[in-house]
Amino acid sequence: MEELDIVIVGGGIAGLATSLALHRKGIKSIVLERSESVRSEGAAFGIQTNGWLALQQLGVADKLRLKSLPIHQIRDVLIEKGIKQRESVGPASYGEVRGVLRNDLVRALAHALPLGTLRLGCQIVSVKLDETTSFPIVHVKNREAIKAKARLATVLIGCDGSNSVVSRFLGLNPTKDLGSQAVRGFTNYPDNHGFRQEFIRIKMDNVVSGRLPITNKLVFWFVVLLNCPQDSSFLKNQADIARLTLASVREFSEEWKEMVKNCHMDSLYINRLRYRAPWDVLSGKFRRGTVTVAGDSMHLMGPFIGQGCSAALEDGVVLARCLWRKLTLGQDGMNNVSYSSSRMQIEEAIDEYIRERRGRLVGLSTQTYLTGSLIKASSPVTKLLLVVLLMILFRDQIGHSRYDCGRL
């Protein structure tokens, strides 16, 4: 049985960001990723000011800025029965907003890690506690087991997404189905697309579609099918996804339909939207012994305020900072890291991380939930109630982008 110190389950954004944050503090970790290659589904993210502050701490922000345009504003358009009912324009964030390809972000994080940190093809099937030491043991598909050195309290961090094995081990409630599914993709324009540097979101009946320029030639877009009970299992290949998406935007402008029609077929990704309910984020027990979670495993949320990726980056910075405070005897620099913390100290570090994150995540989850409910609502009374709640709780609708997760 191989013994390791800090094990991170999942090589997505949260897992890689947490591992890199620990590395920046001189702390070694191992990332176990089920795929045979680094995950690239999801096409792209809109990263807001708070996310860029986290990326700055991770040391990859400047590299990513070279591959993305700044976004200046958000444009929301409501169309009903073919008639434009409302159009609003506002600032995209308090500071910096850019669209970043998932591949670019994942590679920037992964390439900054020491060789051997990321282990591919490691699918986790269960987590249990060692009967003798109470340290967590994770079992991979081939039944090889990885546990901690007996002389140290292990940290096991679940970053394994919406269907998280680690979340189930912690006893968290399952994530919930939003009743919608989303298609994401990107389209290349060899002679420049000519679009404004803005994020535009259009709602037409039961479809919400958005467009975000990444570069002068590349555009990320999405189509959300609201109130869609059918899953995507009937879609056998990328061509089926493309046909479904094009049919969904048939009432949109010719320019919009051409964007979808001319997309990169390989970039198309469809999934059902799920979320962890705000009340579960508020009351969930995110630690069991020295096991915790981050990213979607902790706070999966819909895409309605665009904070899922940035929140995962924040998790990594905060968790690494809390662990570093307890895992080191002194702060004499990264080369003098010495492990001497007891199990109790590790648990205190995780509790500190959870306390710091919970208030932030409850706010993001609640605003996302209410915003998504408003977008889906058809009853005028329900819409009014949701608008009132949003005005009372989140008068500054982009206030979430002001947050700074702090220094590593």
Side-chain angles (χ1 to χ4, degrees), residues 62 102 114-115 152 193 206 251 257 278 313 318 326 341 359 371:
D62 290 342
R102 182 188 176 100
L115 193 64
L152 286 174
H193 50 67
N206 275 331
E251 300 299 327
K257 287 185 286 188
L313 296 170
V318 175
K326 299 294 182 179
S341 298
T371 303

Side-chain angles (χ1 to χ4, degrees), residues 23-27 324 328-338:
H23 171 60
R24 297 295 188 209
K25 302 304 290 183
I27 300 172
W324 176 74
T328 57
L329 278 173
Q331 301 182 8
D332 299 328
M334 290 172 59
N335 295 325
N336 285 326
V337 173
S338 59

Side-chain angles (χ1 to χ4, degrees), residues 129-137 147-150 152 343:
L129 297 181
D130 184 88
E131 293 179 358
T132 304
T133 65
S134 295
F135 295 150
I137 302 173
K147 74 170 186 178
K149 296 176 182 177
L152 286 174
R343 180 187 178 88

Side-chain angles (χ1 to χ4, degrees), residues 183 221 235 237-249 260-261 263 265 268:
V183 181
W221 55 264
L235 301 171
N237 51 47
Q238 300 299 91
D240 288 344
I241 299 174
R243 280 192 288 272
L244 171 68
T245 310
L246 196 56
S248 301
V249 297
V260 173
K261 183 179 178 181
C263 70
M265 280 291 221
L268 289 177

Side-chain angles (χ1 to χ4, degrees), residues 345-404:
Q345 288 174 306
I346 298 294
E347 292 175 352
E348 288 173 357
I350 295 175
D351 286 341
E352 182 182 331
Y353 154 71
I354 293 168
R355 280 194 302 271
E356 183 169 343
R357 293 303 291 154
R358 195 185 297 273
R360 165 69 168 164
L361 296 172
V362 168
L364 290 178
S365 297
T366 302
Q367 187 174 359
T368 299
Y369 177 76
L370 293 175
T371 303
S373 299
L374 177 61
I375 290 172
K376 292 175 63 177
S378 56
S379 164
V381 175
T382 303
K383 288 182 179 180
L384 178 61
L385 176 61
L386 290 167
V387 168
V388 170
L389 282 173
L390 283 166
M391 287 293 292
I392 292 172
L393 297 175
F394 306 102
R395 181 173 294 274
D396 184 354
Q397 293 189 12
I398 60 171
H400 51 77
S401 67
R402 289 182 184 270
Y403 182 83
D404 185 350

Side-chain angles (χ1 to χ4, degrees), residues 105-393:
L105 177 55
V106 166
R107 287 171 183 165
L109 295 171
H111 290 172
L113 291 171
L115 193 64
T117 299
L118 181 60
R119 298 188 181 183
L120 301 172
C122 294
Q123 183 174 352
I124 306 306
V125 294
S126 67
V127 179
K128 70 176 184 178
L129 297 181
D130 184 88
E131 293 179 358
T132 304
T133 65
S134 295
F135 295 150
I137 302 173
V138 295
H139 292 273
V140 299
K141 199 167 189 178
N142 62 5
R143 298 301 172 186
E144 174 189 356
I146 298 175
K147 74 170 186 178
K149 296 176 182 177
R151 63 184 177 86
L152 286 174
T154 301
V155 181
L156 176 63
I157 305 166
C159 301
D160 45 338
S162 60
N163 191 28
S164 169
V165 174
V166 181
S167 292
R168 289 199 296 273
F169 170 77
L170 292 175
L172 297 178
N173 289 334
T175 58
K176 301 178 184 296
D177 190 338
L178 269 169
S180 305
Q181 60 185 9
V183 181
R184 302 170 179 89
F186 54 83
T187 303
N188 189 60
Y189 294 80
D191 298 322
N192 291 0
H193 50 67
F195 300 137
R196 295 173 178 168
Q197 289 176 225
E198 66 177 9
F199 170 55
I200 180 170
R201 179 171 54 193
I202 301 173
K203 180 174 188 263
M204 186 182 296
D205 301 320
N206 275 331
V207 176
V208 176
S209 189
R211 183 183 70 204
L212 180 69
I214 305 295
T215 67
N216 288 319
K217 295 185 177 182
L218 190 66
V219 167
F220 165 67
W221 55 264
F222 64 83
V223 175
V224 177
L225 309 178
L226 303 173
N227 304 311
C228 181
Q230 188 176 30
D231 65 25
S232 56
S233 59
F234 69 97
L235 301 171
K236 304 301 182 185
N237 51 47
Q238 300 299 91
D240 288 344
I241 299 174
R243 280 192 288 272
L244 171 68
T245 310
L246 196 56
S248 301
V249 297
R250 61 184 177 275
E251 300 299 327
F252 282 62
S253 67
E254 289 300 320
E255 176 185 80
W256 208 273
K257 287 185 286 188
E258 283 298 309
M259 176 183 70
V260 173
K261 183 179 178 181
N262 296 327
C263 70
H264 287 261
M265 280 291 221
D266 291 342
S267 74
L268 289 177
Y269 174 69
I270 186 169
N271 71 318
R272 289 200 66 78
L273 296 180
R274 303 188 65 83
Y275 70 103
R276 188 173 299 287
W279 46 93
D280 288 337
V281 177
L282 176 64
S283 61
K285 294 185 177 180
F286 294 121
R287 179 182 68 79
R288 180 178 172 188
T290 57
V291 181
T292 191
V293 282
D296 285 349
S297 301
M298 187 183 198
H299 51 74
L300 180 67
M301 61 186 80
F304 305 111
I305 65 171
Q307 280 288 5
C309 174
S310 295
L313 296 170
E314 295 172 4
D315 291 343
V317 172
V318 175
L319 180 51
R321 182 173 64 232
C322 292
L323 287 171
W324 176 74
R325 288 172 180 165
K326 299 294 182 179
L327 285 171
T328 57
L329 278 173
Q331 301 182 8
D332 299 328
M334 290 172 59
N335 295 325
N336 285 326
V337 173
S338 59
Y339 300 100
S340 64
S341 298
S342 67
R343 180 187 178 88
M344 185 179 297
Q345 288 174 306
I346 298 294
E347 292 175 352
E348 288 173 357
I350 295 175
D351 286 341
E352 182 182 331
Y353 154 71
I354 293 168
R355 280 194 302 271
E356 183 169 343
R357 293 303 291 154
R358 195 185 297 273
R360 165 69 168 164
L361 296 172
V362 168
L364 290 178
S365 297
T366 302
Q367 187 174 359
T368 299
Y369 177 76
L370 293 175
T371 303
S373 299
L374 177 61
I375 290 172
K376 292 175 63 177
S378 56
S379 164
V381 175
T382 303
K383 288 182 179 180
L384 178 61
L385 176 61
L386 290 167
V387 168
V388 170
L389 282 173
L390 283 166
M391 287 293 292
I392 292 172
L393 297 175

Side-chain angles (χ1 to χ4, degrees), residues 59-71:
V60 297
D62 290 342
K63 182 178 181 180
L64 290 168
R65 286 186 180 103
L66 297 175
K67 299 181 178 182
S68 60
L69 292 171
I71 301 301

